[in-house]
Amino acid sequence: MLKSLGTTFFKFFIAIAILGANVNCSDKGSPLEEDTSAAEEMETPVEEVEEPEDPTVPEDDTTPDETSGTAKIPADLMANCAQWKITYPDGTEDKTLCDEDNNEYFYVNEAKNGIVFRAPIRSTNNTTTNSTYIRSELRERTEDGTADIYWTTTGTHVVYVKQAFTQLPINKSHVVGTQIHGDKEAGIDDAMVLRLEDAHLFLSFNGNKLRTDVTIKTDYNLGTNHEVIFEVIDGKHYCYYSEDGDLKANYENGTATQYLVLDEGNAVLMDLDYDQSYFKIGNYTQSNSEKEGSDTDDPLNYGEVVVYDFFAKHF
């Protein structure tokens, strides 16, 4: 009997020992699971670091017109403020731009890096001689600003502009930017101009009187920054256009041929001699109160161009 009890007690003791061993093994399994979890937690920050950044804010990809400036008045952004005068939508003209303060038609943008040329469609607008449309537009003068300049197409003449069309009138949504103005009496008025009609950006040659239009693009989006160069060499007219931001540098280095606007493979867009010429920069809005009707005096009805950089040179 005692032997039987001893045997039973011994078996009970062995069972308790085995059970304890299993419990210990189970306990040893928990830290392993915790270690795996900790490793996963340690990997989480790595995944967060590797997540792509917001594509709307590209790193190290800012262009000059996306960078804030320090200009206070338009003259701060003009290489030679004496070389230009301006005509406003009310018909007034100003020849002293070096001291011209900001006004509703001609002012520095919020980023302080561009000049806003604004032409609201109003019943009180006035137009310049020989025009039925309104403008907030620069007209080229001599470099010292003593007189209006007039040149012939002999020699080399260059105008460069970095700009963006930012607003079109409501009904007749046409705005002209950069211009070569010629001898009106000889039938050569807007000899070559950069013109936007809705989304169609093109070159016009005195309204098809000198030659047919040349399309640059048919899907221009308002606010798209671009560079344009008009070049006249002994009567031959060329145009360079780029949205890459490096046209000016390439042109000055003699490596801008890839930006030439071609007409059926031909870089010479027009070969014509004339005089009484000058450059114009800014905003020549191709509408008026008659065209805009009941939308006249609407504060949202205006043409607008922002100019970031420009120059005119003659050789």
Side-chain angles (χ1 to χ4, degrees):
M1 179 70 178
L2 289 174
K3 182 178 180 180
S4 175
L5 288 172
T7 301
T8 301
F9 179 78
F10 178 75
K11 291 180 178 180
F12 176 76
F13 177 80
I14 293 299
I16 290 299
I18 292 172
L19 179 61
N22 289 338
V23 169
N24 288 338
C25 289
S26 176
D27 289 342
K28 289 180 181 179
S30 296
L32 290 177
E33 292 176 0
E34 290 175 2
D35 289 343
T36 301
S37 175
E40 291 176 353
E41 291 178 1
M42 290 177 64
E43 292 177 359
T44 302
V46 175
E47 293 178 358
E48 291 179 355
V49 171
E50 294 178 351
E51 287 181 0
E53 296 182 2
D54 186 349
T56 62
V57 188
E59 186 177 356
D60 298 327
D61 193 30
T62 50
T63 57
D65 40 89
E66 293 171 337
T67 305
S68 296
T70 58
K72 295 180 180 179
I73 60 174
D76 294 338
L77 294 166
M78 302 172 73
N80 183 358
C81 53
Q83 192 179 4
W84 305 89
K85 68 178 182 180
I86 192 168
T87 301
Y88 292 125
D90 60 7
T92 60
E93 186 178 90
D94 193 337
K95 299 178 181 178
T96 56
L97 297 185
C98 293
D99 298 319
E100 179 74 354
D101 202 354
N102 297 294
N103 60 63
E104 63 172 321
Y105 309 127
F106 179 63
Y107 59 94
V108 173
N109 63 356
E110 290 186 4
K112 301 186 184 305
N113 63 354
I115 303 172
V116 180
F117 294 83
R118 184 184 177 99
I121 310 295
R122 293 176 179 161
S123 53
T124 55
N125 284 341
N126 200 353
T127 59
T128 53
T129 304
N130 301 317
S131 174
T132 59
Y133 300 133
I134 59 173
R135 68 187 81 215
S136 174
E137 187 181 38
L138 300 177
R139 194 265 197 219
E140 185 186 12
R141 309 195 83 207
T142 56
E143 289 190 4
D144 60 7
T146 57
D148 291 344
I149 192 172
Y150 297 93
W151 42 268
T152 72
T153 52
T154 300
T156 298
H157 312 274
V158 180
V159 64
Y160 161 82
V161 187
K162 186 172 189 177
Q163 62 185 5
F165 291 92
T166 51
Q167 181 72 22
L168 300 175
I170 294 173
N171 297 304
K172 188 170 183 283
S173 49
H174 302 173
V175 168
V176 165
T178 308
Q179 293 192 56
I180 300 176
H181 198 285
D183 185 359
K184 188 174 182 65
E185 293 184 0
I188 304 170
D189 189 0
D190 304 329
M192 185 166 81
V193 307
L194 183 68
R195 184 179 179 110
L196 179 64
E197 296 185 359
D198 299 313
H200 183 205
L201 185 65
F202 62 99
L203 298 171
S204 175
F205 303 82
N206 208 19
N208 282 320
K209 295 177 183 178
L210 302 178
R211 60 146 298 163
T212 56
D213 299 336
V214 175
T215 294
I216 293 178
K217 62 188 305 183
T218 58
D219 58 350
Y220 179 86
N221 293 315
L222 289 179
T224 299
N225 295 319
H226 57 277
E227 296 172 283
V228 62
I229 291 175
F230 285 179
E231 181 184 60
V232 180
I233 303 176
D234 293 328
K236 292 179 174 60
H237 293 59
Y238 303 87
C239 176
Y240 300 78
Y241 179 88
S242 172
E243 295 177 6
D244 296 341
D246 58 359
L247 173 57
K248 182 180 180 182
N250 276 281
Y251 182 81
E252 292 175 342
N253 291 331
T255 57
T257 54
Q258 71 269 30
Y259 296 121
L260 277 166
V261 175
L262 304 179
D263 178 30
E264 297 182 352
N266 191 357
V268 179
L269 303 178
M270 184 170 66
D271 191 349
L272 182 66
D273 293 319
Y274 51 91
D275 57 14
Q276 300 295 302
S277 308
Y278 50 91
F279 292 125
K280 305 192 82 174
I281 293 171
N283 168 14
Y284 184 20
T285 294
Q286 303 290 288
S287 194
N288 53 33
S289 58
E290 180 182 350
K291 301 292 184 182
E292 298 304 309
S294 61
D295 291 312
T296 298
D297 295 318
D298 184 328
L300 298 179
N301 196 3
Y302 58 95
E304 185 180 270
V305 178
V306 180
V307 174
Y308 299 96
D309 188 16
F310 64 97
F311 67 74
K313 295 181 179 179
H314 305 276
F315 307 97

